[in-house]
Amino acid sequence: MKITTDFNYLDNIPCNTGVNLQILTATQPIRLKTRLIGVDPNMSVILAMSNDQDWLSAKNFIREGQGAVVRLINHDDSEANIVAFRSQIQKIMSICGRWLVLDYPQQLQKVALRNFSRISIHVECAIIDEKSQTELSRGYLHDISINGCAFIGEFIKGCTVEARYQLQVKFAEIQFSMLVPITVKNIQYGDMNTVNKQYGLVFDANNQETQDFIQQVILYHLSN
């Protein structure tokens, strides 16, 4: 995760870019999907407000001065950067359109998905048998890249290099899960007294499915 104050990138993100908005509350985070209306450099970031059920349920928390976290995925960028920043609601507008005006950020966080560097994360997940769909090992992702990931979890009986499984990540707070096919490329057993083992995995899905999976995992990681 790169922290930067180079705001040219944010200022030039295209309108209608997808946005994951998190409203910060004292009890539980509220996550909403929306789109970018535009950026007024050094002044504000403008998002669309929706009429769907999630937005209606959150209406009592959407008020001026409320803290928020914004995460954007710019698919037009060659590196498919995820950009994240903290802000607060500056104004709610309903004259020209249903717009949420946020304060311009003081710093940005950027993750480039299409490079081959590994991003350190900690996301709970499980290895699933392809045929029986039974859970073989529970653990967590230690890092992730466009090529693959490192899974640390319980010993998988009979597992060998080139074995094929499915990797399942459950996003508990939004009651959603994702499965992606994987192949084991290396196994680090370490000390025999250690319960958890590390498995190096590569993704077997097509490019778009893999990228969608990685984006969701990183966004979930950044929101926790």
Side-chain angles (χ1 to χ4, degrees):
M1 174 63 68
K2 179 182 179 182
I3 299 177
T4 179
T5 55
D6 179 9
F7 297 109
N8 288 330
Y9 187 86
L10 175 64
D11 296 344
N12 291 286
I13 290 181
C15 297
N16 290 319
T17 293
V19 175
N20 287 264
L21 175 66
Q22 179 182 343
I23 305 296
L24 302 176
T25 71
T27 53
Q28 63 180 15
I30 297 172
R31 296 184 174 87
L32 304 167
K33 290 188 178 295
T34 182
R35 57 189 175 86
L36 180 69
I37 297 297
V39 177
D40 187 359
N42 299 312
M43 294 295 293
S44 58
V45 176
I46 306 170
L47 307 179
M49 295 181 64
S50 176
N51 290 315
D52 65 28
Q53 187 57 49
D54 289 337
W55 278 84
L56 292 175
S57 299
K59 66 180 182 180
N60 292 332
F61 298 95
I62 301 174
R63 51 181 180 267
E64 293 179 8
Q66 184 71 45
V69 176
V70 175
R71 299 177 181 88
L72 306 96
I73 305 173
N74 186 3
H75 293 285
D76 293 337
D77 180 8
S78 61
E79 293 187 341
N81 277 290
I82 291 180
V83 177
F85 61 86
R86 287 181 174 268
S87 181
Q88 65 179 22
I89 298 174
Q90 187 183 113
K91 195 170 185 179
I92 300 170
M93 300 181 64
S94 57
I95 297 176
C96 300
R98 291 178 52 79
W99 295 348
L100 197 63
V101 182
L102 305 179
D103 287 343
Y104 196 81
Q106 296 182 352
Q107 65 179 23
L108 303 175
Q109 293 179 305
K110 287 173 63 178
V111 173
L113 294 183
R114 290 188 183 135
N115 64 26
F116 292 92
S117 61
R118 290 188 175 270
I119 300 166
S120 295
I121 61 174
H122 191 290
V123 175
E124 292 185 2
C125 60
I127 299 294
I128 306 295
D129 183 88
E130 281 192 308
K131 293 181 179 179
S132 67
Q133 291 296 294
T134 56
E135 182 178 297
L136 302 176
S137 175
R138 176 159 292 278
Y140 64 93
L141 292 183
H142 178 66
D143 60 43
I144 195 167
S145 76
I146 197 67
N147 279 345
C149 56
F151 169 80
I152 296 178
E154 301 160 338
F155 173 74
I156 303 174
K157 185 177 180 180
C159 178
T160 59
V161 172
E162 299 300 329
R164 292 172 55 88
Y165 301 104
Q166 289 181 315
L167 178 66
Q168 181 185 57
V169 175
K170 292 184 178 181
F171 307 104
E173 295 179 6
I174 55 177
Q175 298 183 340
F176 177 67
S177 65
M178 294 186 74
L179 280 169
V180 64
I182 49 91
T183 296
V184 177
K185 283 301 179 183
N186 62 73
I187 306 170
Q188 298 180 27
Y189 291 108
D191 189 334
M192 293 303 294
N193 295 322
T194 303
V195 175
N196 287 341
K197 313 301 177 185
Q198 179 168 312
Y199 298 85
L201 311 175
V202 294
F203 299 116
D204 287 337
N206 63 43
N207 289 340
Q208 188 59 57
E209 289 175 334
T210 297
Q211 183 170 305
D212 289 344
F213 177 82
I214 294 170
Q215 287 174 351
Q216 291 296 330
V217 168
I218 292 177
L219 285 170
Y220 182 75
H221 169 71
L222 293 177
S223 66
N224 286 278

